[in-house]
DNA sequence: ATGGTTCCTTGACAAAAGTCAAGGGTTTTT
DNA sequence: AAAAACCCTTGACTTTTGTCAAGGAACCAT
């Protein structure tokens, strides 16, 4: 159940098996069916979810009830409303499963205990967030400086697995485009070959 | 010289004065004149810069030699090409001073020493990056889901100080707009009052 | 002081993206 | 097996944004 989680953990910070058992005691497994919510806007985000299996997304809904996809997460990645998680403020994101999923949850209390007692956990989290920050900065740079087509190419090259598993209209939303526009961009690309 | 740096540090992680002196020994002060580079694309980013005074920006230059502003930093904030800093890869950003500036540099070697020897430093860095990550996620959300005008309003409300100190065309670039478009957006807003 | 940047604005036009509406192919549900 | 929901595509049209060009104000440097 925790294989991938500890694989990723060990890649960042090697653990002895005692440390691993110690940490494991704080983790909560959770299964989610497709379309089930992990978090709804307005609730407090109680856990960081590491994806062992399946796919999830985080999204907002605006006044015109358009969905805007903030983030995808598949095997090996984490997802949460970090702001809500850390501050206890109501979440602004919804998170739900795009496929049946198996998660490893780090609840807020587990997080705080682990930070207090296990220095390697703090290092792990620091590296995790640093990686997420760098990835996000790339995404933002591509968003403000590239035209739609290059943004899409860039996305499919960086995340070929997500591009295949997720409906196109969600990818459009992730890139800040309408489904129609992405459809046309793809057509134009196809016509050129 | 390090007042603001340690003020911010203590807000996140309180330090004894011995700890503070210990950390201070690893820091490097640096002054920068307006228009001077802190980092040029292709170099390796050797330091995280904390701004004690002044204003800086990070930006990329594309094939058509358009500048795209990735980040601003004024008093109390940090700036760097974090990816280059951590991996030693050549930087993809340029960083320069928009006003005469006083910086506190954390060099890569200082960073590693501090991580090894001073647990509170790791906590400080973790909180720093977490804050940056959350801010970036907000910026991205506003970028993909809001029209230009609301994005601009949101920016000026969140960073009124930056909005006033920085040339408009840089703010346009930061938001992924041309200077002309931002100028028109502002005109439209002004006409409505 | 003056000549040169830099910065902002405006106009006319072009390109990109959004909106609305319809249709058809899947998959899911009942 | 039929109905419903979902997803993608396409067309016609509108809105938003970008591009190119010009001009004027403010700031700088010699």
């Amino acid at each position: 159940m925790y294989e991938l989680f500890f694989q990723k953990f060990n890649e960042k910070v090697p653990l002895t098996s005692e440390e691993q058992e110690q940490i494991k005691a704080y983790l909560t497994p959770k299964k989610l069916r497709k379309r089930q919510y992990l978090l709804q806007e307005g609730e407090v985000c109680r856990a960081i979810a590491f994806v062992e299996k399946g796919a999830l997304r985080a999204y907002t809904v605006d006044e015109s009830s358009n969905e805007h996809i903030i983030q995808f997460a598949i095997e090996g990645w984490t997802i949460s409303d970090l702001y809500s998680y850390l501050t206890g403020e109501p979440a602004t994101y919804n998170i739900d499963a795009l496929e049946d999923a198996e998660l490893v949850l780090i609840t807020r209390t587990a997080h705080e205990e682990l930070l207090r007692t296990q220095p390697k956990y703090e290092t792990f989290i620091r590296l995790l967030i640093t990686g997420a920050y760098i990835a996000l900065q790339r995404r933002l740079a591509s968003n403000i400086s590239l035209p739609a087509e290059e943004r899409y190419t860039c996305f499919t090259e960086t995340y070929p697995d997500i591009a295949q598993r997720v409906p196109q209209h969600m990818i459009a939303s992730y890139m800040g485009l309408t489904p129609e526009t992405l459809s046309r961009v793809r057509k134009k690309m196809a016509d050129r070959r």
Side-chain angles (χ1 to χ4, degrees), chain A residues 149-182:
Chain A
E149 181 175 330
E150 291 174 54
R151 239 149 65 212
Y152 179 68
T153 311
C154 181
F155 176 83
T156 54
E157 282 168 3
T158 314
Y159 306 105
D161 29 10
I162 296 180
Q164 286 190 326
R165 283 161 67 173
V166 159
Q168 252 183 59
H169 73 272
M170 291 191 191
I171 294 171
S173 163
Y174 180 89
M175 301 198 307
L177 299 175
T178 59
E180 294 93 333
T181 298
L182 180 55

Side-chain angles (χ1 to χ4, degrees), chain A residues 38-55:
Chain A
L38 177 66
L39 173 71
Q40 290 190 63
E41 192 182 338
E43 295 173 359
V44 171
C45 179
R46 265 184 265 277
I48 295 176
F50 175 91
V51 183
E52 285 277 334
K53 208 164 181 316

Side-chain angles (χ1 to χ4, degrees), chain A residues 70-71 93 129-143 159 174:
Chain A
I70 303 294
Q71 200 193 335
Y93 301 162
I129 294 185
T130 303
Y133 175 77
I134 289 172
L136 199 56
Q137 218 169 36
R138 291 237 175 82
R139 182 177 163 199
L140 191 85
S142 107
N143 240 287
Y159 306 105
Y174 180 89

Side-chain angles (χ1 to χ4, degrees), chain A residues 6-126:
Chain A
F6 282 109
Q7 182 191 314
K8 293 284 175 185
F9 201 128
N10 277 282
E11 278 171 20
K12 292 193 164 67
V13 192
L15 291 173
T16 67
S17 44
E18 300 94 274
E19 286 166 340
Q20 190 157 317
E21 290 311 312
Q22 206 179 322
I23 291 170
K24 197 178 275 185
Y26 285 103
L27 304 176
T28 313
K30 173 152 186 156
K31 293 193 183 199
L32 224 54
R33 287 264 164 71
K34 184 173 175 171
R35 313 212 87 230
Q36 262 194 305
Y37 284 111
L38 177 66
L39 173 71
Q40 290 190 63
E41 192 182 338
E43 295 173 359
V44 171
C45 179
R46 265 184 265 277
I48 295 176
F50 175 91
V51 183
E52 285 277 334
K53 208 164 181 316
L56 290 83
R57 63 167 178 167
Y59 65 100
T60 58
V61 179
D62 69 17
E63 327 77 48
S64 329
S65 49
N66 293 316
E67 293 177 356
H68 299 282
I69 297 204
I70 303 294
Q71 200 193 335
F72 293 113
I74 59 172
E75 291 83 11
W77 298 89
T78 60
I79 195 163
S80 68
D81 183 328
L82 196 57
Y83 182 74
S84 169
Y85 181 74
L86 293 174
T87 63
E89 294 286 307
T92 57
Y93 301 162
N94 300 277
I95 300 180
D96 67 9
L98 301 176
E99 305 170 359
D100 291 355
E102 295 176 20
L103 309 175
V104 177
L105 301 186
I106 308 170
T107 64
R108 180 80 198 282
T109 46
H111 177 71
E112 273 162 10
E113 273 304 293
L114 283 166
L115 281 177
R116 279 203 315 104
T117 59
Q118 184 48 266
K120 287 186 181 175
Y121 176 77
E122 173 154 37
T123 303
F124 170 69
I125 285 289
R126 174 173 59 82

